[in-house]
């Protein structure tokens, strides 16, 4: 997939909608801007009939002979892409917001509207964002866009409302009337008849017979001829075939087709759906990148900003040049961080990062510094110790973090690695930090 980044654009065979969806997810969901911002065109077939695909392609071709016709579109997108500055985002949310801003900027989009989509887990889809989340986690897009609104990157306008399962947050719900005693949907319903002359009230079955289809009152034996004159039907009686309970008011349940939970409708999760407009601040963010949401760093005690970390490493190199000491920079790499953060959500991510920083801080000296380079990379300084000892400490930290993950996130798979890099006097601090980070790619 990375090899596609060297091309100006991509043409996808559109005969198979499933194939195009798979390729689009891999490209638009990639974290490399040379891929997720790549101009994409479909050729042949009717894949563009899918609403998500139609939103995420940059044009349709009927043959390779038409490629020159999309040259201007391709050149325009790539030119706008070259205006953007790409920085590493601290959190998954900041990373996806940054990607969205960049995508909208390169396509000259000002509006972001939800589209009705049966395959979406929330029945409304924001196409570019949808391919950055697993299907079952799409409901988190609502929270992501609220962050963008709170930050002034977008304005919101009410569009619609959806109701989600209380367990898995899916909107694939089947609404059914059920017995208010045992919740069974296996019921019969009968009209209630009120006979005016004798005031008898009972189910219609009391007025029927096996000989004909006429209605006769079981109390006075008179025939019921004219509704509204002889009788009326004031209500309906329901009979449960499961527990034989008789009742007049159903309970309405919403059965989740994703997790099979029967939800009382009054307990469903209500979410407002909005359309969004990019602000000037949002355009500026697209140009200079979005590193973190306000709470990404502020709530994690024990860390410093990345710029501070770079300055400290720069001066540490100058210090060991005078003292001939031995100092190290360390990287802890969370390999599949994006998928993990998407599953645990914003609050789970914050709790996880706080726990990680706490474990690391307990394993190093108070003078050593911790920073986040990205949502998947944590950097540490370990000064005045040999590299061999620094790597032993790293191994101990990794073991502690893996134990922490196994204890608190048993059902989620997370791979974590790390190493210590001894600072040298020949290369700049920037180059050495970049070499350490790139060693995990």
């Amino acid at each position: 997939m990375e090899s596609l980044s060297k091309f100006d654009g991509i043409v996808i065979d559109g005969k198979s909608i499933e194939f195009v969806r798979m390729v689009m997810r891999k490209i638009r969901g990639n974290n490399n801007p040379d891929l997720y911002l790549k101009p994409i065109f479909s050729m042949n077939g009717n894949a563009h009939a899918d609403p998500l695909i139609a939103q995420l392609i940059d044009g349709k071709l009927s043959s390779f002979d038409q490629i020159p016709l999309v040259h201007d579109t391709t050149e325009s997108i790539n030119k706008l892409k070259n205006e953007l500055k790409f920085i590493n985002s601290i959190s998954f949310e900041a990373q996806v917001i940054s990607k969205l801003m960049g995508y909208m900027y390169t396509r000259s989009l000002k509006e972001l509207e939800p589209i009705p989509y049966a395959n979406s887990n929330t029945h409304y889809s924001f196409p570019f964002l949808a391919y950055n989340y697993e299907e079952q986690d799409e409901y988190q897009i609502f929270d992501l866009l609220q962050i963008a609104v709170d930050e002034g990157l977008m304005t919101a306008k009410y569009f619609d409302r959806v109701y989600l399962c209380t367990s898995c947050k899916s909107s694939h719900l089947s609404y059914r009337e059920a017995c208010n005693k045992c919740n069974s949907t296996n019921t019969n319903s009968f009209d209630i008849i009120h006979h005016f002359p004798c005031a008898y009230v009972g189910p219609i079955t009391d007025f029927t017979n096996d000989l004909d289809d006429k209605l006769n009152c079981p109390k006075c034996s008179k025939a019921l001829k004219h509704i509204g004159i002889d009788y009326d039907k004031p209500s309906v009686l329901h009979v449960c075939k499961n527990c034989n309970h008789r009742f007049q008011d159903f309970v309405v349940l919403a059965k989740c087709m994703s997790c099979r939970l029967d939800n009382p409708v009054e307990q469903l999760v209500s979410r407002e759906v909005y359309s969004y407009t990019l602000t000037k601040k949002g355009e500026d963010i697209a140009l200079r990148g979005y590193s973190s949401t306000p709470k990404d760093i502020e709530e994690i005690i024990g860390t410093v900003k990345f710029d501070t970390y770079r300055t400290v490493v720069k001066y540490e190199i100058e210090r060991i040049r005078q003292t001939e000491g031995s100092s190290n920079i360390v990287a802890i790499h969370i390999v599949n961080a994006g998928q993990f953060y998407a599953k645990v959500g914003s609050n789970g991510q914050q709790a996880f990062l706080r726990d990680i920083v706490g474990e690391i801080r307990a394993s190093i000296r108070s003078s050593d510094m911790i920073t986040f380079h990205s949502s998947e990379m944590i950097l540490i300084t370990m000064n005045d110790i040999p590299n061999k000892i620094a790597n032993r400490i790293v191994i101990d930290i990794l073991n502690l973090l893996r134990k922490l993950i196994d204890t608190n996130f048993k059902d989620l798979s997370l791979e974590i690695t790390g190493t210590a890099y001894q600072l040298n006097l020949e290369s700049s601090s920037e180059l050495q930090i970049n070499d350490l980070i790139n060693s995990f790619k």
Side-chain angles (χ1 to χ4, degrees):
M1 186 61 66
E2 292 295 329
S3 61
L4 296 175
S5 61
K6 63 183 179 182
F7 297 103
D8 291 336
I10 299 172
V11 178
I12 304 176
D13 188 332
K15 291 180 180 178
S16 168
I17 289 181
E18 289 302 320
F19 172 76
V20 176
R21 284 176 183 160
M22 181 269 292
V23 174
M24 294 293 282
R25 178 173 286 277
K26 287 183 177 292
I27 295 175
R28 297 301 187 216
N30 200 283
N31 289 328
N32 181 352
D34 289 330
L35 278 175
Y36 70 76
L37 295 178
K38 185 72 66 183
I40 299 177
F41 305 92
S42 70
M43 186 173 70
N44 302 323
N46 62 345
H48 57 271
D50 181 281
L52 247 68
I53 295 174
Q55 291 275 333
L56 294 178
I57 60 173
D58 298 294
K60 296 175 289 184
L61 304 174
S62 54
S63 71
F64 284 114
D65 294 336
Q66 292 186 324
I67 287 180
L69 299 179
V70 297
H71 174 268
D72 289 346
T73 300
T74 303
E75 188 176 65
S76 173
I77 291 172
N78 287 328
K79 183 179 179 180
L80 289 172
K81 180 179 77 70
N82 290 334
E83 296 177 8
L84 306 182
K85 179 181 179 182
F86 302 103
I87 62 175
N88 291 292
S89 301
I90 297 300
S91 68
F92 174 76
E93 286 82 5
Q95 184 180 59
V96 177
I97 288 173
S98 184
K99 290 173 65 174
L100 174 65
M101 298 295 107
Y103 183 81
M104 293 182 70
Y105 182 83
T106 56
R107 270 66 182 178
S108 300
L109 299 175
K110 299 290 185 182
E111 307 293 328
L112 181 68
E113 289 199 356
I115 60 171
Y117 191 57
N119 292 330
S120 168
N121 214 35
T122 58
H123 282 174
Y124 279 107
S125 180
F126 295 91
F128 182 81
L129 295 175
Y131 280 159
N132 283 271
Y133 284 81
E134 296 296 329
E135 181 182 340
Q136 67 272 18
D137 300 319
E138 279 189 60
Y139 69 93
Q140 295 179 18
I141 291 174
F142 298 134
D143 297 324
L144 179 88
L145 289 170
Q146 188 57 49
I147 293 174
V149 172
D150 292 342
E151 282 286 273
L153 310 181
M154 290 178 158
T155 58
K157 181 181 179 182
Y158 181 83
F159 188 87
D160 200 355
R161 183 183 299 274
V162 294
Y163 292 90
L164 310 178
C165 171
T166 56
S167 175
C168 69
K169 305 303 185 292
S170 169
S171 64
H172 296 310
L173 303 170
S174 174
Y175 294 88
R176 295 115 65 249
E177 295 174 324
C179 170
N180 59 24
K181 182 178 180 181
C182 71
N183 287 346
S184 173
T185 57
N186 189 12
T187 62
N188 276 339
S189 298
F190 306 96
D191 287 325
I192 295 291
I193 290 181
H194 173 213
H195 188 211
F196 296 153
C198 69
Y200 182 80
V201 177
I204 193 171
T205 52
D206 290 354
F207 293 80
T208 58
N209 61 75
D210 296 331
L211 299 177
D212 53 40
D213 58 358
K214 295 181 179 179
L215 299 178
N216 297 94
C217 178
K219 180 180 177 182
C220 66
S221 299
K222 289 183 179 180
L224 281 64
K225 297 180 179 179
H226 304 290
I227 189 168
I229 298 176
D230 298 328
Y231 68 98
D232 66 359
K233 297 177 180 180
S235 63
V236 177
L237 177 69
H238 310 293
V239 180
C240 178
K241 293 182 179 181
N242 183 57
C243 69
N244 295 319
H245 178 55
R246 294 186 170 206
F247 57 97
Q248 286 189 288
D249 296 317
F250 280 118
V251 60
V252 180
L253 300 175
K255 188 177 185 67
C256 178
M257 297 292 100
S258 299
C259 73
R260 302 295 186 265
L261 177 69
D262 251 336
N263 299 265
V265 291
E266 64 272 12
Q267 294 180 13
L268 291 173
V269 178
S270 172
R271 295 302 302 258
E272 294 179 343
V273 182
Y274 296 92
S275 60
Y276 299 88
T277 302
L278 194 66
T279 64
K280 182 62 171 66
K281 183 178 179 181
E283 292 181 11
D284 292 341
I285 284 293
L287 290 169
R288 57 185 173 86
Y290 188 58
S291 63
S292 63
T293 65
K295 65 179 182 179
D296 288 335
I297 295 299
E298 294 171 3
E299 296 182 3
I300 302 177
I301 299 172
T303 63
V304 298
K305 292 183 177 180
F306 181 59
D307 287 344
T308 302
Y309 180 89
R310 289 191 301 182
T311 301
V312 168
V313 173
K314 176 181 177 181
Y315 284 110
E316 180 61 19
I317 291 175
E318 295 303 316
R319 190 185 72 82
I320 61 175
R321 191 187 303 276
Q322 303 297 325
T323 62
E324 298 182 356
S326 176
S327 292
N328 308 269
I329 51 176
V330 173
I332 304 294
H333 183 217
I334 307 168
V335 178
N336 53 336
Q339 296 175 358
F340 177 78
Y341 295 153
K343 289 184 180 296
V344 301
S346 178
N347 292 334
Q349 174 187 331
Q350 286 298 309
F352 172 68
L353 294 179
R354 283 196 297 269
D355 289 344
I356 278 190
V357 170
E359 293 288 354
I360 294 173
R361 177 54 63 194
S363 302
I364 60 178
R365 294 168 299 183
S366 59
S367 58
D368 293 331
M369 294 188 175
I370 305 170
T371 191
F372 286 95
H373 174 259
S374 69
S375 59
E376 61 184 31
M377 189 75 68
I378 302 169
L379 301 180
I380 311 166
T381 59
M382 289 188 184
N383 298 334
D384 293 324
I385 57 173
N387 182 253
K388 188 174 182 179
I389 295 177
N391 271 300
R392 286 179 185 171
I393 296 174
V394 170
I395 292 172
D396 291 340
I397 290 174
L398 292 177
N399 288 334
L400 288 170
L401 296 183
R402 288 169 185 145
K403 184 177 179 180
L404 172 72
I405 293 164
D406 291 341
T407 301
N408 297 321
F409 304 95
K410 295 179 181 178
D411 298 329
L412 299 178
S413 175
L414 191 64
E415 183 182 351
I416 191 163
T417 61
T419 190
Y421 179 97
Q422 183 172 352
L423 293 174
N424 64 69
L425 304 178
E426 287 73 33
S427 303
S428 68
S429 59
E430 288 291 323
L431 183 59
Q432 294 185 64
I433 292 172
N434 288 336
D435 285 346
L436 174 62
I437 294 166
N438 291 333
S439 67
F440 290 92
K441 294 182 179 181

